[in-house]
């Protein structure tokens, strides 16, 4: 029951543009193929102008009857087609900060601005004089250089394509087996150190596979071009465009340098290409803001993880999971920390241009859309190096999709089971359970109901999988101790 | 680290439209005046086509080099201009439901599906055999009919304009004084009953004022038309349009019926006009959904209010307020319950077409924008019957705005102080404190920071005002009792 007079300049303008754009979107949806200057629209404009003229006539007549109501829907009704809820996102952030203010204050009083250093270090190291995880990560350079030297040999033709492929596959297989074998045998590696080094190796595996594939494509193009050039000395456009581009861009064999290789290794992408798009300059304010976010959210994450209660005694897992809202918040904050703050920070430092690390998965109305849009680097890799090559080889579409899901489930299991030294298949089953869930949601739910179903599966499904592992881990490591203590 | 293969049909299409619309909006913002078929755009299209052709040439050359990265920003970066966060709204709803699931279950087990009837009834009645608030609301019909009969006399001209105005003003003044006098003298009225009946009378005051004003404008137009008709028998367009519209629409004196009056009284608007826009039919599914929301949210609200702890002993009010997040949630749920569910329900029943009961205040970046957009019926009334007439009379713009704020502050105080029988001026001061706050926010903050400031003022400001009244009310009513008990 409160109000004020007319809004001021900038605000009014903003609202108007918002509503215009909404209308435009709706119109576009209705027509499907937007042609900017159709006859219908012009007619509509004329009608509107006519209406305005009528309005003027009425105004001239004296005070108008002031017809102040229009036929329209409320914004929150789904029929209105309105979708600008940026403010709700801000509300979530404000609420998160305010409701955790007490926690923040306590944490800062206890540990200071930085993260509790001893507890964090103890996650990585058992013995402060041996750094097994760090050593493992440093050793990975061997595999990177091996891939580079194989490619150099292939480029000059001293080894055949088949030999190169065998060498590459040997390199990639050992890239997966070596770290897992080390983690399983070296007892001084902690679970967190194990996850970190194994994650690094997995990322490296995907990157080097992409490197191999892309360079092979480059050789094929060079080969095709050479053939065409032999047949006839035509095709001047391509040659010219290559010539003009050569000033700034490198072409195939010129990319096989240490500098190019390590730029790709550190760049926030899994797909190799020649001449990545580069941003014009390093924006210092952007960099500092991302760095601040990284540090602040790191603090928040560690604080939340340390304080999350795991209801180990409760056997009714779904109910326990529904009270595991903090678990979901940790995942959301981790998502923002990793995919927005950290990857953007690295990209800004390296002037890497493509910042699409995620798409609008929060609006996803099907499970498939969620999996295809929350992690764009991995999704892009799967599409480019796994799914499309399979389709080109004539594999059935559904089979290819299932294969991608299987591979993804394998890597999930690999990343969780090896560091924890428990083979439980919960992660594998969790991933494979997505397939029937996706079918169910896409059949029976759509629109906002589908979106709510995706959110519920995220809020409830993830904590269950995490709880399974935590439960088993505690039973194995602390259950025995308590048993021993009892005896 | 999980992904799936290409998205399926409908999802891909949806995403594409989303991103197209975003781009369109941005382009529109940049140009400010959107002309759908400018030369620049055509040129851009040509360039793009050319680029596509180049792409085809490359594809024909064999496998392309697959340049899979583009120069682009992350969606959450403010530079991307992306604003579709419908999913976040759904997330909030899901989180609200899940985190209150325990509360819901307990409430349903305790009270059943319906609201605890005895406690709710006891809010309205002290003595179940006397219904003072209901009687007060029934008596209000006298004022409605008085306004209608005054207008009928004015229409036929048996009383002069001045006499009519005096009679109307007398009617309106007694409409404000009579209920407050009754509430202050009749001791059997509870605070909740008092707020309800006083709210009804205030709404009625605004409606009847609008009725008086609109009918006066109608008479002025009739007068002007008659004058023009006497001067020359021209102006056929207006006559014709009136003639064709007369089949369905009523014109001035024909609207002074009981049916029209009571439609306006029950319609969810405060501004009278002849021939409200009507929706074509009553959508039964829409109606049932709104009804379900009304009942469910009513249950939720009562449950939340009953369980909200008021930290009466704490003297550090701001800190107590920051822990008063439930208070803010109650306000948000009340907003949705009243402005979306209830008003839409009533509008659907009455086939009232204009459903704009609120605009996108959640995106408001200034305090002014918030006050102008969260309560559209009152805002529209103020603009039409208070602010614009003042401007027409030559009042300064800033003075008119302050007057609107003062009137609004007066009604806030009136609605709170009279039923509680405490005159503390907290609500009045709370409203007037918005003026310096608005100046501060619009000067120093903009964009998402301004939005966050508005949210913080809502989250912290409101609970403080509510706490003030609750604190004083408890001190007056229960403080004495405890003192008496101690003696």
């Amino acid at each position: 029951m409160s109000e004020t007079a007319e809004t001021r300049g900038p605000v009014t303008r903003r609202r108007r543009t918002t509503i215009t754009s909404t209308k435009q979107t709706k119109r576009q949806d209705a027509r499907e193929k937007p042609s900017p200057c159709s006859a219908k629209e012009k007619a509509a404009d004329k009608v509107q102008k006519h209406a305005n003229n009528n309005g003027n006539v009425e105004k001239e007549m004296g005070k108008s009857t002031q017809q102040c109501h229009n036929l329209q829907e409320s914004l929150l009704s789904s029929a209105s087609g309105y979708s600008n809820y940026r403010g709700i996102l801000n509300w979530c952030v404000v609420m998160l900060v305010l409701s955790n203010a007490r926690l923040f204050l306590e944490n800062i009083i206890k540990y200071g601005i930085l993260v509790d250093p001893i507890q964090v270090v103890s996650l990585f190291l058992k013995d402060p004089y041996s750094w097994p995880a760090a050593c493992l990560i440093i050793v990975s350079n061997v595999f990177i250089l091996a891939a580079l030297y194989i490619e150099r040999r292939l480029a000059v033709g001293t080894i055949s394509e088949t030999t190169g492929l065998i060498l590459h596959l040997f390199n990639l297989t050992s890239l997966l087996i070596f770290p897992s074998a080390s983690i399983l045998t070296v007892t001084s590696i902690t679970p967190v150190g194990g996850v970190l080094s194994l994650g690094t190796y997995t990322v490296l595996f995907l990157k080097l596979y992409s490197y191999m594939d892309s360079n092979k494509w480059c050789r094929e193009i060079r080969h095709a071009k050479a053939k065409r050039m032999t047949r006839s000395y035509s095709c001047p456009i391509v040659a010219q465009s290559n010539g003009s581009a050569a000033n700034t861009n490198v072409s195939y064999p010129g990319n096989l340098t240490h500098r190019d290789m390590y730029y790709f290794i550190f760049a926030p992408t899994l797909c190799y290409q020649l001449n990545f798009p580069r941003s014009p300059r390093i924006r210092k304010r952007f960099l500092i803001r991302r760095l601040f976010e990284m540090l602040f959210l790191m603090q928040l994450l560690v604080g939340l993880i340390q304080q999350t209660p795991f209801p180990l005694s409760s056997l009714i897992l779904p109910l326990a999971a529904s009270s595991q809202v903090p678990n979901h918040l940790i995942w959301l904050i981790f998502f923002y920390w990793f995919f927005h703050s950290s990857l953007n920070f690295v990209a800004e430092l390296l002037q890497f241009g493509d910042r699409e690390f995620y798409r609008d998965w929060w609006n996803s109305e099907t499970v498939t859309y969620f999996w295809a849009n929350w992690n764009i680097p991995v999704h892009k890799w799967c599409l480019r190096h796994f799914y499309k090559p399979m389709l080109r080889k004539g594999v059935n579409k559904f089979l290819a999709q299932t294969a991608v899901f299987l591979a993804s489930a394998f890597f999930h299991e690999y990343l969780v089971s090896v560091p924890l030294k428990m083979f439980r298949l919960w992660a594998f089953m969790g991933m494979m359970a997505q397939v029937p869930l996706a079918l169910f949601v896409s059949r029976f739910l759509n629109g906002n109901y589908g979106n709510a179903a995706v959110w519920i599966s995220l809020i409830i499904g993830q904590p269950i999988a995490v709880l399974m592992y935590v439960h088993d881990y505690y039973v194995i490591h602390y259950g025995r101790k308590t048993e021993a203590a009892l005896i």
Side-chain angles (χ1 to χ4, degrees), chain A:
Chain A
M1 296 270 163
S2 312
E3 65 307 300
T4 183
E6 260 186 329
T7 53
R8 283 163 215 174
V11 182
T12 319
R13 203 189 316 131
R14 196 174 65 79
R15 200 184 65 70
R16 240 174 242 158
T17 52
T18 310
I19 284 180
T20 321
S21 74
T22 313
K23 274 180 192 165
Q24 204 134 337
T25 316
K26 267 202 283 181
R27 203 185 294 160
Q28 200 173 313
D29 284 347
R31 286 186 305 177
E32 292 230 320
K33 286 174 207 158
S35 61
C37 33
S38 70
K40 205 190 271 179
E41 207 162 313
K42 273 183 190 167
D45 280 355
K46 267 188 194 169
V47 168
Q48 208 164 15
K49 267 181 200 165
H50 191 65
N52 286 344
N53 283 346
N54 275 356
N56 287 340
V57 168
E58 267 191 356
K59 256 183 204 163
E60 279 168 21
M61 271 181 62
K63 275 167 204 163
S64 73
T65 49
Q66 303 217 3
Q67 304 284 321
C68 61
H69 296 90
N70 301 313
L71 198 65
Q72 56 193 331
E73 288 288 338
S74 298
L75 289 186
L76 286 173
S77 296
S78 49
S80 75
Y82 183 83
S83 66
N84 183 349
Y85 293 99
R86 175 87 210 184
I88 302 292
L89 189 68
N90 290 330
W91 178 76
C92 289
V93 173
V94 168
M95 287 297 276
L96 192 70
V97 170
L98 279 186
S99 57
N100 284 308
R102 209 168 49 88
L103 187 69
F104 291 171
L105 284 175
E106 276 175 11
N107 251 37
I108 286 169
I109 288 164
K110 258 191 199 160
Y111 309 121
I113 294 294
L114 282 170
V115 177
D116 173 16
I118 291 161
Q119 193 166 0
V120 170
V121 166
S122 77
L123 288 173
F124 294 97
L125 297 173
K126 278 178 184 160
D127 173 10
Y129 293 102
S130 77
W131 295 65
C135 291
L136 211 56
I137 290 173
I138 289 166
V139 167
S140 69
N141 283 299
V142 173
F143 299 96
I144 299 170
L145 294 175
L148 179 62
Y149 294 141
I150 296 168
E151 277 304 326
R152 280 192 178 173
R153 287 288 166 89
L154 278 168
V156 294
T158 51
I159 55 172
S160 72
E161 282 289 324
T162 324
T163 324
L165 186 67
I166 289 166
L167 284 173
H168 263 307
L169 288 184
F170 178 74
N171 190 32
L172 289 171
T173 321
S174 50
L175 197 56
L176 283 185
I177 292 171
F178 165 69
S180 51
S182 324
I183 287 168
L184 287 176
T185 51
V186 177
T187 50
S188 67
I189 287 186
T190 59
V192 175
V195 167
L196 274 183
S197 50
L198 215 56
T200 313
Y201 270 86
T202 309
V203 167
L204 221 57
F205 170 81
L206 298 175
K207 281 192 187 226
L208 292 184
Y209 188 91
S210 173
Y211 192 70
M212 175 187 90
D213 244 16
S214 306
N215 279 313
K216 201 180 76 192
W217 293 333
C218 284
R219 276 196 304 281
E220 278 166 12
I221 288 168
R222 191 174 58 166
H223 190 65
K225 220 187 282 180
K227 238 185 196 169
R228 196 174 291 196
M229 293 288 269
T230 335
R231 268 213 307 270
S232 69
Y233 288 90
S234 69
C235 203
I237 303 161
V238 176
Q240 200 183 9
S241 75
N242 275 355
S244 69
N247 298 331
T248 50
N249 292 346
V250 294
S251 50
Y252 169 54
N255 66 324
L256 299 174
T257 60
H258 287 93
R259 189 190 161 80
D260 183 86
M261 183 62 163
Y262 275 97
Y263 183 84
F264 170 56
I265 294 298
F266 286 108
T269 180
L270 297 174
C271 293
Y272 182 73
Q273 77 172 46
L274 272 70
N275 310 311
F276 286 108
R278 303 291 284 269
S279 51
R281 60 184 190 84
I282 298 179
R283 292 167 292 178
K284 288 211 182 60
R285 278 190 62 189
F286 185 87
L287 200 70
I288 287 166
R289 224 181 289 164
R290 292 293 92 77
L291 183 68
F292 174 76
E293 277 176 9
M294 275 171 73
L295 294 176
F296 177 78
L297 291 178
M298 181 72 123
Q299 162 91 349
L300 182 61
L301 271 177
V302 171
L304 278 174
I305 290 170
Q306 284 176 351
Q307 306 216 1
T308 300
F310 285 103
L312 295 170
S313 55
S314 75
L315 289 168
I316 319 153
L317 276 172
L319 261 181
S322 78
S323 72
Q324 283 306 86
V325 168
N327 217 320
H328 175 63
L329 280 185
I330 289 170
W331 180 78
L332 280 182
I333 295 169
F334 170 79
F335 170 82
Y336 188 86
W337 176 77
F338 187 75
F339 284 92
H340 189 73
S341 305
S342 305
L343 290 187
N344 261 310
F345 179 77
V346 172
E348 194 70 34
L349 263 186
L350 294 173
Q351 289 184 270
F352 183 78
D354 190 350
R355 308 292 170 86
E356 196 188 42
F357 307 123
Y358 52 86
R359 290 204 203 105
D360 59 337
W361 57 265
W362 46 84
N363 294 328
S364 55
E365 291 167 7
T366 62
V367 176
T368 326
Y369 188 80
F370 168 77
W371 287 110
N373 288 282
W374 85 277
N375 186 340
I376 291 296
V378 168
H379 176 68
K380 210 180 242 170
W381 187 91
C382 284
L383 214 62
R384 193 179 179 224
H385 296 289
F386 199 74
Y387 182 72
K388 280 185 182 170
M390 272 173 98
L391 285 191
R392 273 201 291 273
K393 277 173 191 161
V395 176
N396 178 5
K397 208 167 183 176
F398 180 75
L399 211 71
Q401 282 183 359
T402 317
V404 170
F405 246 102
L406 265 169
S408 152
F410 164 74
F411 275 110
H412 271 91
E413 191 59 42
Y414 173 78
L415 276 172
V416 176
S417 292
V418 172
L420 290 179
K421 295 167 192 169
M422 306 189 305
F423 296 90
R424 287 290 183 283
L425 291 183
W426 298 132
F428 188 83
M429 275 153 59
M431 276 304 296
M432 291 322 284
Q434 299 294 322
V435 177
L437 181 69
L439 286 176
F440 173 79
V441 170
S442 65
R443 278 273 164 81
F444 298 107
L445 300 165
N446 50 18
N448 288 334
Y449 297 102
N451 187 233
V454 171
W455 277 116
I456 288 171
S457 84
L458 280 177
I459 294 168
I460 294 185
Q462 271 178 343
I464 288 181
V466 171
L467 271 180
M468 294 297 218
Y469 279 103
V470 169
H471 178 259
D472 287 8
Y473 189 79
Y474 267 75
V475 165
I476 289 173
H477 290 261
Y478 299 93
R480 280 182 198 155
K481 276 183 196 165
T482 34
E483 271 172 35
L486 283 171
I487 294 162

